[in-house]
Amino acid sequence: MTNKKNIEEILGVGMGVYVLLDTTVPSIEVNTLSPTHKVVKLHESYVVLKDLKTDEDTYLFNFDVNYLAPNYSENHHYHTHKVRLKLLEISNKALEEYRAKVKDNVDVTEDVARRKLTRNVICGVKQPRNLLQESKGNTAYRYGNLFIVVGDKNGTDVITVIENGRSREYYEKDHDLYVELSKALNIPAKHYTKPVECVKVEEVSEPTGFMQKIYNFFKK
């Protein structure tokens, strides 16, 4: 039996779960007596778990959630919920816009464009519906200066509009998620940047001599 609830309704932040990570598709078991991980972040496309022993975070993009029966008998579950990372489709018009308007994408293939934009949508911020050019069946996302519209076309999520430079509003990008998604989606290394370490700038006091004060005055 397949559970039709979304992942946010099934798992809660802070919930203790047992995780089997040594398989092709990891399995998360809930209602366990001895949890090994804690849920620290949820999204419809992924989950972040913290190991209760090592305190390390693990990003899962493809996994099954199994509900154990009340007696916790082995291999006996109520049902399984599957979470899979799916690539967005892209319209020809949106692909042309992406190649023409977004830096370093003039020669990008359709396959790589879909992978990059799928990552950008997941890392982006969902926008209020009044910003949509066509509100019916569409969802808009902002990723940096990119405005991306995803529409439902016969049950398939398709990127229909890409605009660059629409918004200058700042938001904090989750660099860990960005890097982990780039790996999970097999995006070529030249198409993603790793987070730059912050460099501490030492504060230098200005010289206080008479000539230096005159220089500082005219420098302003």
Side-chain angles (χ1 to χ4, degrees):
M1 176 180 175
T2 301
N3 187 11
K4 295 183 179 180
K5 293 182 179 180
N6 61 41
I7 191 63
E8 288 86 355
E9 293 174 310
I10 297 169
L11 295 175
V13 173
M15 178 185 291
V17 295
Y18 178 79
V19 185
L20 203 61
L21 294 173
D22 57 352
T23 57
T24 304
V25 179
S27 174
I28 299 176
E29 295 186 344
V30 299
N31 295 336
T32 59
L33 293 174
S34 54
T36 61
H37 293 71
K38 179 176 70 174
V39 180
V40 294
K41 189 173 181 181
L42 283 170
H43 186 276
E44 60 187 9
S45 300
Y46 70 92
V47 65
V48 184
L49 305 171
K50 183 176 291 293
D51 191 304
L52 295 178
K53 289 185 177 180
T54 66
D55 213 36
E56 294 182 353
D57 288 348
T58 298
Y59 286 76
L60 294 182
F61 301 100
N62 297 288
F63 58 95
D64 295 338
V65 181
N66 296 319
Y67 280 77
L68 297 181
N71 59 1
Y72 302 100
S73 58
E74 188 177 357
N75 298 323
H76 183 52
H77 305 94
Y78 275 133
H79 44 252
T80 298
H81 179 88
K82 298 180 183 296
V83 176
R84 299 292 184 270
L85 187 60
K86 296 180 180 178
L87 286 182
L88 295 171
E89 299 288 343
I90 186 170
S91 67
N92 291 332
K93 180 181 178 182
L95 181 58
E96 290 176 4
E97 291 173 338
Y98 189 53
R99 287 169 172 164
K101 299 178 181 179
V102 184
K103 184 181 178 181
D104 298 329
N105 286 287
V106 63
D107 295 323
V108 70
T109 65
E110 180 178 348
D111 177 64
V112 172
R114 289 174 61 201
R115 295 175 188 275
K116 291 180 67 177
L117 288 165
T118 297
R119 175 197 62 197
N120 295 354
V121 163
I122 294 175
C123 288
V125 178
K126 189 178 291 187
Q127 298 296 280
R129 297 195 69 78
N130 60 4
L131 291 179
L132 300 181
Q133 295 179 346
E134 301 175 21
S135 61
K136 187 176 181 181
N138 287 342
T139 306
Y141 300 86
R142 181 170 57 81
Y143 175 78
N145 292 329
L146 280 186
F147 183 74
I148 306 167
V149 177
V150 179
D152 184 351
K153 305 296 183 183
N154 299 320
T156 301
D157 291 330
V158 182
I159 298 167
T160 57
V161 176
I162 295 176
E163 294 184 12
N164 196 12
R166 184 182 181 94
S167 173
R168 296 291 177 181
E169 184 181 349
Y170 173 80
Y171 76 95
E172 186 93 18
K173 182 170 75 173
D174 187 334
H175 284 295
D176 289 337
L177 173 61
Y178 174 87
V179 171
E180 293 298 327
L181 261 176
S182 297
K183 296 175 184 176
L185 290 167
N186 293 318
I187 296 173
K190 70 176 183 178
H191 284 286
Y192 73 90
T193 56
K194 295 183 179 179
V196 179
E197 293 183 3
C198 294
V199 178
K200 183 179 180 181
V201 179
E202 297 293 340
E203 188 174 321
V204 180
S205 58
E206 292 184 332
T208 57
F210 177 74
M211 294 303 297
Q212 187 65 46
K213 287 182 179 179
I214 294 176
Y215 171 77
N216 291 339
F217 176 82
F218 286 103
K219 183 179 67 172
K220 294 178 180 178

